[in-house]
Amino acid sequence: MVGKKSGRAQLREEGLARTDNNLDLTTWPQVNMINQKNYYTEFLKREEQYLAFRAPAEEATARMVQAARDKDRALAFGATPEGTAEQDDEDAAEDAALSSSHADPSKLVILHPGSQNLRLGFGTDALPKTVPMVIARRWKEAECEENDGEPCPKRQKVDGAVPASALPEKWFGEDFANQYQAMCSELRTRMRTNKKRVLPNSKELVVNYNRRAGVEHINEHNDVNRIEWTEIPSNHSAAPDYFTGQEALRIPEQSNPRYKLFWPIRNGTFNETDYTGRNQLYHDISKIIEEALKSQLGLTDLKDLANYRCVFIIPDLYERNYVTMLLDILIRDLGFGKVCLQQESLSATFGAGTGIACVVDIGAQKTSICCVDEGLCVEESRINLKMGGADVTEAFIKMMLFDHFPYSEMNLRRRYDFLLAEELKQKFCSMDENDVTVRTHEFHLRAPGQDTRKYTFKTYDETMLSVMGFFKPSIFDHSRKLDGFRSVMPRSVDLYDGSPNDPFSAAQQVVIDYAAGTSTSMNGTQDSTNSLPVASTPSRSQTQNLLNRLNDGEATPRSSVANSPVPEGTPNPDQETPGDADQPLVFRDPVLEKTKAANERDKVLPVMPIDEAILQSITLGARGDDRKLRDFIGGIMLIGGGSKTPSLGAFLETRLRELRPLYGKEILVAPPPRDFDAQVVVWKGGSVFGRLSSHGNDSWISKAEYNILGSRLLTHKCMFVW
């Protein structure tokens, strides 16, 4: 009898035993399970993992390697080395750093576009070139012929036309007449208070003289300052499709074919009134910059721009679509090799050589106010007012026409009248009360195809009251400044939730509230009850809850009964009242609320007296720090073309001291130092910044990086919060 075999022997003999042949069940790589209690990853936690940080470092390394190779090649060809090997290595590193940081300033272009002028130049230029930011395109009619030839300033019409018998005092409506006369009375009272001589019949002298003033005709060949107008070929097919810059402003209105002027930037942002499409805006801005580069800087071949860097100046309180479109124009359309974006106020401090200041930039159609501290713009202090020097020009002409200006056909929609009005404003407007006297002036009117006309006229207080519009904006005409807004360029929204993401500031909200008539306090300080943060916990006091529990006999207080912050988009039960038990719960949509708030802001034109706006910006920029408040209020820098009005800084300083008598000794309003032109100090700051060492400066956007990531690079490349 055979003995009983074990189970293991049976498996072995019958071939059922499992053997290991060291072969995997599959060739796919097997990933071990992650320890859920302790795991770690370095994904997107180091700067070299971002293209925006890695690419500049790789370029610097490549330049150092190339510099070392060049030196080795020079030594191989018999160059005599100087110094020790350690010194040679240090010199090579310094040479590489210098070549990477201090690039050739002649290859640096600085662009500062505005509503009226474009300033551009090389990094080696002491002053920029100035070109009108306008393009004239072939059109069916000129701009002065649109809307049945409606003039600017707009005259009131009766039965569709301006009656010839109407007096100039009634041309602009009763509201303007009342405001103008009230400002005249206030100025007379102020001058008497300041012991200034005031003649009782000054206004009558001006009106009577202007009524009788005649005109003298001068033949064109006798006019030594005659204007060379842009010639248009008689052949339609040979006529250019567009003109830019000064040539566009010198085209006769009655040219054949007709040309219409387009100003792509209006009030500091895109002009959506005269444009109907985004592509037209894109191409007009591109052509203006391209022609300026060719005519002013001699860069005739756009392919060479790949070897140039560009510092582009943007507003402090910008719109994201504005920045992204212009960045796309500079890199993809024009082909710059590298582009850097810088804010206007920060650039102004670079140009002036100061570290802390409150920058007040009065441009042609906008006024920006911002506090700059330690090389950064204080976000909550940024203000953008939609008024500027062009409003002063229009108000000055309206006041002159009101006082029977001898050239009563003045129309700012005509190109030669527009240039004449700018010339008269720059010559005669002043904020010095000593200049408010009856004075006789003359000017020459030069129109295409006509003899030169010489006019003589008198002025009194119009030269000062028109500039006073900065302190009383209601005298300006704001009726058409919001026309077409958001009709061409939509608002920028967040990629994930669709909420508006254009930058905004607390100071700008104060301006919006003031313009909308909802402001409760305009004394430059915030109401303490309104400045408290909104709490998401119940409003009852935790201290009172603790006392109640102790009075109820609890020896040890329980944990707080205050709820956690309520998630967005959910109802808050603590806000319910006993009577609302049967009512449905109301859900909050934060995206919808932000969109509605942005829509309401877009309906209000941000306009405010400039002195009060400065105080609001300084108050919110100081954040309650009295030392910073005194630094800002003692470092108000007045720049921009609109600030060149004589004695405007002194008058603004007086107004600020009247509003803040406690800081009367600290308040100081001054122009840029070192006798800088107030119009070019921002451009000069961009030039200074572009020539600084790029060591640690990662704000340059290269063409290769932009082609890969597009405008997403701005999150890592901007010196400000994007």
Side-chain angles (χ1 to χ4, degrees):
M1 183 175 180
V2 181
K4 186 178 180 181
K5 297 182 179 180
S6 65
R8 183 177 298 175
Q10 290 179 355
L11 293 175
R12 184 172 60 254
E13 292 178 0
E14 297 177 4
L16 299 177
R18 182 175 179 178
T19 59
D20 189 5
N21 54 7
N22 294 327
L23 294 178
D24 294 333
L25 298 178
T26 178
T27 58
W28 286 92
Q30 298 181 9
V31 180
N32 296 327
M33 296 294 293
I34 296 177
N35 184 358
Q36 297 292 332
K37 295 183 179 180
N38 184 18
Y39 67 92
Y40 177 75
T41 178
E42 293 186 353
F43 179 67
L44 297 182
K45 290 188 176 181
R46 296 196 304 268
E47 287 188 351
E48 59 267 18
Q49 295 174 338
Y50 290 90
L51 178 65
F53 299 109
R54 186 173 65 250
E58 292 176 351
E59 290 181 6
T61 303
R63 283 191 291 265
M64 292 181 64
V65 172
Q66 186 63 36
R69 289 177 179 174
D70 294 341
K71 189 167 186 177
D72 292 341
R73 187 178 296 108
L75 293 175
F77 280 97
T80 57
E82 298 179 359
T84 62
E86 294 180 357
Q87 292 177 350
D88 292 342
D89 294 340
E90 293 177 358
D91 294 340
E94 291 178 0
D95 293 341
L98 288 173
S99 63
S100 64
S101 60
H102 297 284
D104 187 3
S106 63
K107 299 291 184 180
L108 173 66
V109 177
I110 301 94
L111 296 176
H112 180 206
S115 302
Q116 187 166 319
N117 293 311
L118 167 67
R119 292 183 173 86
L120 72 164
F122 291 116
T124 54
D125 295 340
L127 295 174
K129 309 293 191 303
T130 301
V131 179
M133 192 70 184
V134 64
I135 184 171
R137 290 193 175 274
R138 292 180 62 168
W139 212 253
K140 58 183 179 180
E141 57 185 0
E143 64 275 4
C144 64
E145 299 173 338
E146 294 183 333
N147 299 325
D148 298 329
E150 181 182 18
C152 178
K154 182 180 178 182
R155 277 81 158 174
Q156 286 195 347
K157 295 182 178 180
V158 178
D159 296 331
V162 178
S165 60
L167 295 175
E169 293 90 344
K170 299 181 180 179
W171 280 355
F172 309 112
E174 185 178 354
D175 186 28
F176 176 81
N178 294 336
Q179 290 192 64
Y180 181 35
Q181 292 171 0
M183 293 176 68
C184 294
S185 301
E186 292 174 3
L187 179 60
R188 286 196 298 268
T189 303
R190 184 184 183 91
M191 293 180 65
R192 290 193 181 99
T193 304
N194 295 335
K195 308 300 182 182
K196 303 291 183 181
R197 184 182 178 185
V198 179
L199 297 178
N201 60 341
S202 299
K203 184 67 69 173
E204 289 76 8
L205 291 175
V206 171
V207 172
N208 293 332
Y209 182 88
N210 290 339
R211 281 176 177 173
R212 299 190 305 267
V215 56
E216 178 183 351
H217 292 269
I218 303 174
N219 294 329
E220 186 177 0
H221 63 272
N222 293 330
D223 186 6
V224 294
N225 296 321
R226 61 181 178 271
I227 296 175
E228 297 295 334
W229 303 97
T230 304
E231 295 184 1
I232 307 297
S234 58
N235 188 1
H236 280 225
S237 60
D241 291 334
Y242 64 88
F243 290 91
T244 62
Q246 198 67 33
E247 288 185 344
L249 294 177
R250 296 301 186 188
I251 299 177
E253 280 79 359
Q254 304 301 322
S255 62
N256 189 13
R258 291 286 197 273
Y259 284 84
K260 178 183 176 182
L261 296 185
F262 288 91
W263 303 82
I265 298 180
R266 182 170 178 249
N267 297 118
T269 185
F270 290 126
N271 181 0
E272 299 178 79
T273 303
D274 300 329
Y275 287 86
T276 57
R278 182 181 183 275
N279 291 336
Q280 187 183 3
L281 259 173
Y282 185 99
H283 291 301
D284 280 5
I285 296 176
S286 178
K287 286 299 179 183
I288 292 173
I289 298 177
E290 177 183 343
E291 294 298 327
L293 292 174
K294 291 180 180 179
S295 62
Q296 303 297 323
L297 303 185
L299 301 176
T300 56
D301 191 357
L302 292 183
K303 295 181 181 179
D304 296 338
L305 292 181
N307 302 321
Y308 285 79
R309 299 177 300 153
C310 176
V311 175
F312 192 80
I313 312 297
I314 64 172
D316 305 321
L317 200 59
Y318 54 86
E319 293 185 4
R320 293 168 67 104
N321 283 337
Y322 173 86
V323 177
T324 54
M325 178 187 281
L326 288 170
L327 180 62
D328 193 80
I329 290 174
L330 295 174
I331 293 183
R332 289 186 176 169
D333 200 32
L334 298 178
F336 278 101
K338 287 187 176 181
V339 176
C340 175
L341 303 176
Q342 192 178 21
Q343 292 172 294
E344 288 177 339
S345 294
L346 179 60
S347 182
T349 58
F350 273 95
T354 181
I356 182 169
C358 177
V359 181
V360 182
D361 187 356
I362 304 177
Q365 297 181 8
K366 77 170 180 64
T367 299
S368 61
I369 305 170
C370 180
C371 295
V372 181
D373 184 20
E374 297 180 355
L376 289 175
C377 294
V378 183
E379 294 182 8
E380 298 302 330
S381 69
R382 296 176 294 178
I383 288 179
N384 191 318
L385 305 176
K386 302 302 182 183
M387 63 180 184
D391 296 287
V392 175
T393 303
E394 183 177 350
F396 177 62
I397 297 302
K398 289 173 70 174
M399 292 178 181
M400 293 296 298
L401 292 173
F402 189 91
D403 293 337
H404 295 260
F405 189 56
Y407 179 40
S408 59
E409 299 84 9
M410 172 75 77
N411 182 5
L412 296 182
R413 296 190 187 278
R414 287 198 292 256
R415 295 153 199 173
Y416 57 88
D417 281 351
F418 168 76
L419 297 175
L420 174 63
E422 288 289 328
E423 179 184 354
L424 295 178
K425 179 192 71 173
Q426 295 173 9
K427 282 185 176 180
F428 306 132
C429 285
S430 173
M431 290 298 290
D432 189 356
E433 293 181 354
N434 295 322
D435 294 336
V436 183
T437 58
V438 178
R439 295 190 176 187
T440 305
H441 308 284
E442 63 180 27
F443 68 91
H444 293 79
L445 174 63
R446 299 176 176 90
Q450 303 177 21
D451 290 337
T452 301
R453 286 173 281 176
K454 179 182 178 181
Y455 289 90
T456 306
F457 67 101
K458 284 189 176 182
T459 61
Y460 177 54
D461 55 4
E462 306 91 347
T463 56
M464 183 175 180
L465 294 181
S466 57
V467 190
M468 277 290 294
F470 286 132
F471 306 91
K472 191 174 181 181
S474 58
I475 199 66
F476 293 152
D477 184 11
H478 307 294
S479 58
R480 298 181 179 178
K481 292 184 178 180
L482 289 178
D483 290 352
F485 190 52
R486 302 294 185 198
S487 61
V488 177
M489 296 297 297
R491 183 188 297 109
S492 176
V493 296
D494 188 81
L495 180 63
Y496 297 101
D497 59 9
S499 61
N501 61 354
D502 279 331
F504 203 66
S505 67
Q508 186 72 5
Q509 184 62 54
V510 174
V511 175
I512 294 292
D513 294 341
Y514 174 85
T518 59
S519 177
T520 57
S521 176
M522 289 308 303
N523 56 1
T525 57
Q526 286 183 313
D527 188 0
S528 60
T529 59
N530 296 331
S531 61
L532 296 176
V534 179
S536 57
T537 54
S539 59
R540 56 181 178 270
S541 172
Q542 294 184 0
T543 306
Q544 186 65 32
N545 292 336
L546 175 62
L547 294 176
N548 292 337
R549 290 197 300 271
L550 291 177
N551 293 333
D552 291 340
E554 295 184 15
T556 303
R558 297 176 298 180
S559 60
S560 174
V561 297
N563 296 338
S564 300
V566 179
E568 293 182 345
T570 58
N572 190 351
D574 292 314
Q575 295 179 354
E576 297 179 12
T577 57
D580 297 336
D582 297 333
Q583 296 181 0
L585 298 178
V586 178
F587 288 81
R588 293 179 57 253
D589 187 351
V591 176
L592 181 60
E593 292 179 357
K594 292 179 182 178
T595 304
K596 287 183 177 180
N599 290 335
E600 292 299 323
R601 288 198 299 265
D602 289 344
K603 298 177 183 178
V604 180
L605 185 70
V607 171
M608 185 181 189
I610 191 172
D611 49 351
E612 297 182 4
I614 291 173
L615 293 177
Q616 290 290 347
S617 176
I618 291 176
T619 302
L620 293 169
R623 302 190 188 95
D625 188 344
D626 187 66
R627 182 185 61 82
K628 283 188 177 181
L629 178 67
R630 296 179 183 275
D631 290 339
F632 288 144
I633 211 168
I636 301 175
M637 185 166 59
L638 198 59
I639 62 173
S643 67
K644 298 183 70 174
T645 303
S647 302
L648 177 59
F651 186 86
L652 175 61
E653 187 175 304
T654 303
R655 291 292 294 259
L656 292 175
R657 287 175 177 171
E658 292 175 357
L659 293 175
R660 287 292 178 275
L662 296 178
Y663 297 94
K665 296 182 179 180
E666 285 94 348
I667 293 176
L668 178 63
V669 179
R674 301 194 293 271
D675 295 330
F676 269 176
D677 187 355
Q679 298 183 79
V680 303
V681 64
V682 174
W683 181 93
K684 192 65 177 179
S687 176
V688 172
F689 176 79
R691 299 179 63 175
L692 290 176
S693 171
S694 62
H695 179 67
N697 181 8
D698 300 326
S699 58
W700 291 99
I701 302 173
S702 67
K703 188 174 183 180
E705 296 171 333
Y706 187 79
N707 289 335
I708 297 175
L709 296 178
S711 60
R712 289 175 292 174
L713 275 170
L714 295 175
T715 304
H716 305 289
K717 292 291 187 177
C718 291
M719 298 178 63
F720 45 89
V721 178
W722 175 254

